Amino acid sequence: MSGESPRHPMDHFPVRPLEFDVDGLAGKDPVWSRSCPEFAMFLNALGIHVPYFERYLIRVLNRAKASVDDPELREAMSGIIGQEAHHAKNFIAYNRFLAATYPRAADFDAEARDFFIEHLKTDSPRRQAAFTAGYETFTFLAGMVVLDNYDRWFSDSDPTIKAMWVWHQVEEVEHGAVAFDVYKKLYGKHEWYRKYMVLVALKHIAGETLRAYFHMARQSGYLRNPWRAWKSTKFVVGTLLRMLWLAKPVMSRRYHPRNHPLVTDRQNPIAVAWRKFEGDGGDVLAIDREKMDLILRTN
Ligand SMILES: [Fe+2]
Ligand SMILES: [Fe+2]
């Protein structure tokens, strides 16, 4: 799909079966952004548990399909399931790369896997749908925030890891309404519960991110120097608080992800150009400065 913009990014989004050269990262510094090392550490920390949430989402939405007959929503459900399956595959491989540097990364990975497998067994279908929708609120918001800060956070960074995150964040925005629509369709009258689960999901994301982040910061020696420790703490706490702030519109009864100000005020030019470049057959598996210039020129 060529993704001709400026159409809405959530319309008929494709599944892109990309496979990144994660094995080729062996031996590289996992703090992959020289523009902003704290950002690299933040995404590494946030990302450890995400593939297991993605597999949870796939199971939840596959089950929910039996209760949804709207053909457009079913098409979007197939789309998100396909996108998240490819995210999980690449990012579970990436966790193995992180485990080579961070002694506790493999434990965090295993605990996240067990947590989501357990919750698939114990949570009610309504809770599963609400947790999935609440969680997707933040992958969607993070998708836009990360792309909007490209120059500050990504400009000088490892081309493969940057390419993985640009891909992931573009797709999180594309499918950012699907879990919300499924919850509304199946449990729409339980509006208070939807909002409550947005906060439950944020608490889970923040807890997982903070423990992995401070483990990584300690391993990298950032916590030995008071200035560096302050800078690292400020980044992770500030970024999580920003997510909470951006979630404010989500608490309105009239909210829909399609209408979040970050999507409607303007579309991120990198996302628009990346979709077109990839849709035209361009190689997006590694993005250095020249490649990003090329991608932006194709828009
Ligand atoms: Fe994802
Ligand atoms: Fe997602």
Side-chain angles (χ1 to χ4, degrees), residues 6-7 47 59-60 72 94 97 99 111 155 175 177 184 207 239 247 285 293:
R7 69 171 201 195
R59 292 285 296 278
V60 169
E72 250 182 69
Y94 186 74
F97 161 66
E111 285 164 25
S155 50
H175 70 229
K184 283 283 198 182
T239 307
L285 297 179
D293 288 346

Short mmCIF file of all heavy atoms in Angstrom, two decimals, residues 6-7 47 59-60 72 94 97 99 111 155 175 177 184 207 239 247 285 293:
data_model
loop_
_atom_site.label_atom_id
_atom_site.label_comp_id
_atom_site.label_asym_id
_atom_site.label_seq_id
_atom_site.Cartn_x
_atom_site.Cartn_y
_atom_site.Cartn_z
N PRO A 6 -2.15 13.29 2.33
CA PRO A 6 -2.32 13.30 3.76
C PRO A 6 -3.61 12.61 4.24
O PRO A 6 -4.30 13.16 5.09
CB PRO A 6 -2.35 14.78 4.08
CG PRO A 6 -2.98 15.41 2.85
CD PRO A 6 -2.73 14.48 1.70
N ARG A 7 -3.92 11.46 3.75
CA ARG A 7 -5.10 10.78 4.27
C ARG A 7 -4.85 10.38 5.73
O ARG A 7 -3.71 10.37 6.18
CB ARG A 7 -5.42 9.56 3.42
CG ARG A 7 -4.38 8.48 3.59
CD ARG A 7 -4.84 7.23 2.93
NE ARG A 7 -4.09 6.16 3.53
CZ ARG A 7 -4.00 4.96 3.03
NH1 ARG A 7 -4.62 4.66 1.93
NH2 ARG A 7 -3.30 4.04 3.62
N GLY A 47 10.64 -1.14 26.33
CA GLY A 47 10.41 -2.16 25.31
C GLY A 47 10.51 -3.60 25.79
O GLY A 47 10.00 -4.48 25.11
N ARG A 59 -4.06 -12.42 21.28
CA ARG A 59 -5.00 -13.43 21.79
C ARG A 59 -6.35 -12.80 22.14
O ARG A 59 -7.40 -13.34 21.83
CB ARG A 59 -4.42 -14.12 23.03
CG ARG A 59 -3.21 -14.99 22.74
CD ARG A 59 -3.60 -16.31 22.07
NE ARG A 59 -4.43 -17.12 22.94
CZ ARG A 59 -3.96 -17.91 23.91
NH1 ARG A 59 -2.66 -18.01 24.10
NH2 ARG A 59 -4.77 -18.62 24.66
N VAL A 60 -6.30 -11.63 22.80
CA VAL A 60 -7.54 -10.96 23.23
C VAL A 60 -8.38 -10.59 22.00
O VAL A 60 -9.59 -10.84 21.95
CB VAL A 60 -7.20 -9.70 24.07
CG1 VAL A 60 -8.44 -8.84 24.29
CG2 VAL A 60 -6.58 -10.11 25.41
N GLU A 72 -15.58 -3.53 8.66
CA GLU A 72 -14.44 -2.60 8.72
C GLU A 72 -13.61 -2.80 9.98
O GLU A 72 -12.38 -2.78 9.95
CB GLU A 72 -14.96 -1.16 8.68
CG GLU A 72 -14.62 -0.48 7.38
CD GLU A 72 -15.08 0.95 7.35
OE1 GLU A 72 -14.51 1.77 8.10
OE2 GLU A 72 -16.03 1.24 6.60
N TYR A 94 15.28 -8.63 20.06
CA TYR A 94 16.03 -7.48 20.59
C TYR A 94 16.30 -7.64 22.10
O TYR A 94 17.35 -7.25 22.59
CB TYR A 94 15.24 -6.20 20.30
CG TYR A 94 15.99 -4.94 20.69
CD1 TYR A 94 17.05 -4.48 19.93
CD2 TYR A 94 15.63 -4.22 21.83
CE1 TYR A 94 17.75 -3.33 20.30
CE2 TYR A 94 16.32 -3.08 22.20
CZ TYR A 94 17.37 -2.63 21.43
OH TYR A 94 18.07 -1.50 21.79
N PHE A 97 19.45 -9.35 22.71
CA PHE A 97 20.59 -8.44 22.56
C PHE A 97 20.80 -7.64 23.86
O PHE A 97 21.92 -7.51 24.35
CB PHE A 97 20.33 -7.50 21.36
CG PHE A 97 21.16 -6.25 21.33
CD1 PHE A 97 22.55 -6.32 21.16
CD2 PHE A 97 20.56 -5.00 21.47
CE1 PHE A 97 23.32 -5.15 21.14
CE2 PHE A 97 21.33 -3.84 21.45
CZ PHE A 97 22.71 -3.91 21.29
N ALA A 99 19.97 -8.57 26.83
CA ALA A 99 20.38 -9.48 27.91
C ALA A 99 21.90 -9.72 27.91
O ALA A 99 22.46 -10.10 28.94
CB ALA A 99 19.63 -10.80 27.78
N GLU A 111 9.60 -12.57 33.33
CA GLU A 111 8.50 -12.17 34.23
C GLU A 111 7.35 -11.55 33.44
O GLU A 111 6.17 -11.79 33.74
CB GLU A 111 9.01 -11.20 35.29
CG GLU A 111 9.83 -11.89 36.37
CD GLU A 111 10.66 -10.92 37.21
OE1 GLU A 111 10.28 -9.74 37.31
OE2 GLU A 111 11.68 -11.36 37.76
N SER A 155 18.61 11.57 16.01
CA SER A 155 19.39 11.97 14.83
C SER A 155 20.73 11.23 14.75
O SER A 155 21.11 10.75 13.70
CB SER A 155 19.57 13.48 14.77
OG SER A 155 20.02 13.95 16.01
N HIS A 175 -2.56 1.83 14.04
CA HIS A 175 -3.58 0.93 14.61
C HIS A 175 -4.07 1.41 15.99
O HIS A 175 -4.73 0.65 16.71
CB HIS A 175 -3.09 -0.53 14.62
CG HIS A 175 -2.00 -0.85 15.60
ND1 HIS A 175 -0.85 -1.53 15.27
CD2 HIS A 175 -1.88 -0.60 16.92
CE1 HIS A 175 -0.10 -1.69 16.33
NE2 HIS A 175 -0.71 -1.13 17.36
N ALA A 177 -6.47 3.09 17.08
CA ALA A 177 -7.89 3.19 17.43
C ALA A 177 -8.55 1.82 17.55
O ALA A 177 -9.69 1.73 18.01
CB ALA A 177 -8.63 4.02 16.38
N LYS A 184 -15.28 -0.28 22.80
CA LYS A 184 -16.53 0.49 22.69
C LYS A 184 -17.66 -0.37 22.13
O LYS A 184 -18.79 -0.29 22.57
CB LYS A 184 -16.31 1.71 21.78
CG LYS A 184 -15.56 2.83 22.45
CD LYS A 184 -16.47 3.58 23.40
CE LYS A 184 -15.92 4.93 23.75
NZ LYS A 184 -16.75 5.67 24.69
N GLY A 207 5.61 1.03 35.92
CA GLY A 207 6.32 0.12 36.83
C GLY A 207 7.37 -0.70 36.10
O GLY A 207 8.53 -0.81 36.54
N THR A 239 9.19 11.99 31.11
CA THR A 239 8.55 11.39 29.94
C THR A 239 7.27 10.64 30.34
O THR A 239 6.24 10.72 29.65
CB THR A 239 9.54 10.44 29.22
OG1 THR A 239 10.73 11.17 28.96
CG2 THR A 239 8.98 9.93 27.91
N ALA A 247 -2.68 11.94 28.05
CA ALA A 247 -3.84 11.04 28.15
C ALA A 247 -5.09 11.79 28.63
O ALA A 247 -6.17 11.21 28.66
CB ALA A 247 -3.53 9.88 29.08
N LEU A 285 15.02 -1.05 6.64
CA LEU A 285 15.57 -1.90 7.70
C LEU A 285 16.75 -1.26 8.42
O LEU A 285 17.15 -1.72 9.49
CB LEU A 285 15.98 -3.26 7.12
CG LEU A 285 14.81 -4.09 6.55
CD1 LEU A 285 15.31 -5.40 5.98
CD2 LEU A 285 13.75 -4.34 7.63
N ASP A 293 17.21 11.38 4.96
CA ASP A 293 17.07 12.47 3.97
C ASP A 293 16.34 11.97 2.73
O ASP A 293 15.46 12.64 2.20
CB ASP A 293 18.46 13.00 3.56
CG ASP A 293 19.10 13.81 4.69
OD1 ASP A 293 18.37 14.16 5.64
OD2 ASP A 293 20.31 14.06 4.62
#
